[in-house]
Amino acid sequence: MSADVRSFFGRPIIIGGGIAGLLTALHLAPEPVLVLSRTPLGSEASSAWAQGGLAASLGDDDNPMLHLADTLAAGAGLCDAEIATRILHAAPSAIENLSTLGVRFDRTPEGALRLGLEAAHGRRRIVHADGDGSGQEIMRALVEAVRSAPSIVMVEGVEARRLAVEDNKVTGVWASCSTSPVFLGTGRVVLATGGIGGLFHDSTNPLGSSGQGLALAARAGAVLADLEFIQFHPTALDGPARPMPLISEAVRGEGATIVDETGQRFLEYLQDAELAPRDVVARAIWTHLSNGHRVFLDGREKPGPTFARQFPTIASACRGAGIDPAQDLIPIRPAQHYHMGGVAVDRDGRTSVAGLWACGEVASTGLHGANRLASNSLTEAIVCAHWVAESVAGSPLGVRTRLTAREIRRPIHSPCALSSHAALA
Ligand code: SIN
């Protein structure tokens, strides 16, 4: 169906179809919203690639303050403790809410959430789905929910090119489509565009994650924060494939070790060895590689024979490279993995530009500091999507009712498939 874009005037616009964007749209229901996604839903969002799951203090031996202590320690003194406290307290119920939306998390035979361990966590607190397929499963459930939500219009294959801003207030979004640009007038825009890994040669992110949200925000005059805070994951599969397949930290959580070509566990001198914070492990591996060694993950003993069952995505990537992870060493090296910096936001996800919010990897909330604790980012996205939606819902519409001459010159009945599976209000 093609639609007259005038019918969308004033609706909040969410740019990005990953977990942060879709969940914000769902939380906004029944308010009608428009979600713009450059690619078909789920096809390129880095969310769908997430192997690690969601960190939350759900175990009997755990609580949000222990989770906070690990987050602050990993963040190298640069986390915002107040926002971290708020997010980590909200994490357990945000995960429950995802279950309610239909996400099938891994559970014990008794039905409790199965809790995994990842580096720098003092407790088992990582919730996964399908072993190492957490992102896929969450996206499956959210896409299903979005497709059946009458309040959400999904616009796929259309890219936001520029935010229109007057007097530091958002007035709309210029979007490109196959024929000509369209102007979507709104006073409320949420950036949920993900990270920047596509800018790096060695990254575990989809190539399309190239900082689009940062560019939109920068051009709109929004304050950006800590852009130099880039996380390198220690264990990407070292081979020719780009993006590089990730070997989740959860594999080390299940006992795999890191060795060099002589079989030496050269990280043993570190406190917590292979499970030291991610930046520490990545730096130690990089130093060893720079000294002429080769570095491998050894999962032959642990997880051993259960490797493929526990980590089907990783086992399949290894098989593609001719490696049987239960029998062979897996060559690894660090690769760009996550951007802790981003568009500076307050506790409700508001940026310094009125009417502009940011959520997920594109945002800099202060939770991660200089080094994100494993699996805290999906948690941040699902918790903050709720707060962003509340803030957007409580904001005045702020939309202009009259178009400028430039906007009027543009065609406003667009054949570029502003398509909707839902009835347009
Ligand atoms: C991993 O599974 O090692 C990655 C998890 C994350 O980046 O949080």
Side-chain angles (χ1 to χ4, degrees):
M1 176 197 331
S2 126
D4 185 335
V5 295
R6 279 175 299 202
S7 61
F8 301 118
F9 257 65
R11 290 187 186 193
I13 295 179
I14 296 168
I15 305 174
I19 289 173
L22 298 187
L23 208 47
T24 303
L26 287 164
H27 281 308
L28 270 164
E31 172 155 11
V33 295
L34 206 57
V35 180
L36 305 187
S37 173
R38 259 180 337 125
T39 53
L41 209 47
S43 67
E44 222 196 34
S46 54
S47 303
W49 293 24
Q51 294 178 2
L54 300 124
S57 51
L58 290 152
D60 293 339
D61 61 347
D62 205 0
N63 65 57
M65 294 317 282
L66 292 175
H67 189 179
L68 176 68
D70 290 342
T71 299
L72 299 183
L78 291 166
C79 302
D80 177 330
E82 192 188 321
I83 193 75
T85 306
R86 188 165 175 248
I87 291 174
L88 301 178
H89 271 88
S93 63
I95 289 174
E96 264 168 41
N97 178 55
L98 278 187
S99 290
T100 313
L101 280 171
V103 178
R104 295 187 284 255
F105 288 117
D106 295 343
R107 292 184 181 270
T108 64
E110 295 72 42
L113 288 167
R114 190 184 289 283
L115 301 177
L117 182 66
E118 287 180 3
H121 285 276
R123 295 286 187 277
R124 285 193 164 262
R125 61 168 73 100
I126 318 300
V127 179
H128 287 95
D130 287 340
D132 56 10
S134 308
Q136 269 300 349
E137 166 58 14
I138 299 171
M139 281 297 286
R140 179 204 61 74
L142 295 189
V143 168
E144 216 170 284
V146 160
R147 297 242 186 254
S148 55
S151 60
I152 301 173
V153 172
M154 263 320 301
V155 186
E156 293 162 81
V158 170
E159 181 171 14
R161 301 302 293 268
R162 189 155 66 81
L163 302 176
V165 175
E166 283 171 24
D167 301 328
N168 198 42
K169 282 199 197 95
V170 168
T171 56
V173 176
W174 286 98
S176 69
C177 65
S178 53
T179 49
S180 55
V182 287
F183 181 77
L184 302 161
T186 179
R188 295 174 296 167
V189 172
V190 180
L191 296 173
T193 48
I196 60 168
L199 301 174
F200 288 73
H201 183 258
D202 292 350
S203 172
T204 60
N205 295 181
L207 293 177
S209 294
S210 53
Q212 296 88 343
L214 287 183
L216 289 168
R219 195 166 176 194
V223 173
L224 310 182
D226 300 331
L227 295 184
E228 72 281 21
F229 288 177
I230 293 165
Q231 181 165 76
F232 290 80
H233 196 288
T235 58
L237 178 61
D238 189 6
R242 294 293 178 277
M244 296 175 80
L246 177 70
I247 315 283
S248 173
E249 222 157 50
V251 180
R252 277 174 280 142
E254 293 304 316
T257 56
I258 291 176
V259 298
D260 65 15
E261 75 287 355
T262 68
Q264 191 206 348
R265 270 183 77 189
F266 62 95
L267 295 177
E268 260 180 330
Y269 73 93
L270 295 175
Q271 189 185 346
D272 298 324
E274 283 88 352
L275 291 177
R278 199 172 269 187
D279 59 329
V280 175
V281 176
R283 229 176 275 124
I285 292 176
W286 182 251
T287 304
H288 214 58
L289 287 168
S290 306
N291 289 336
H293 292 281
R294 294 204 66 200
V295 178
F296 302 89
L297 189 71
D298 186 353
R300 294 174 300 179
E301 203 167 305
K302 287 184 183 166
T306 62
F307 197 116
R309 184 165 53 72
Q310 284 182 274
F311 302 106
T313 310
I314 298 169
S316 148
C318 287
R319 274 196 299 276
I323 296 160
D324 173 354
Q327 307 277 340
D328 304 321
L329 294 174
I330 307 169
I332 51 162
R333 60 181 300 183
Q336 191 282 344
H337 183 62
Y338 190 82
H339 193 203
M340 279 82 61
V343 187
V345 293
D346 69 6
R347 51 189 278 133
D348 295 322
R350 278 187 298 239
T351 72
S352 62
V353 173
L356 183 64
W357 289 258
C359 189
E361 189 171 352
V362 68
S364 170
T365 63
L367 168 66
H368 307 305
N371 178 53
R372 178 179 60 98
L373 185 65
S375 289
N376 262 358
S377 44
L378 289 186
T379 296
E380 178 192 52
I382 64 165
V383 169
C384 293
H386 196 182
W387 296 338
V388 167
E390 279 178 351
S391 176
V392 170
S395 276
L397 295 187
V399 66
R400 283 177 294 130
T401 47
R402 284 199 309 187
L403 296 176
T404 64
R406 179 154 181 260
E407 289 151 9
I408 287 167
R409 276 200 303 277
R410 301 285 174 183
I412 55 171
H413 186 87
S414 164
C416 77
L418 281 174
S419 61
S420 165
H421 43 84
L424 302 179

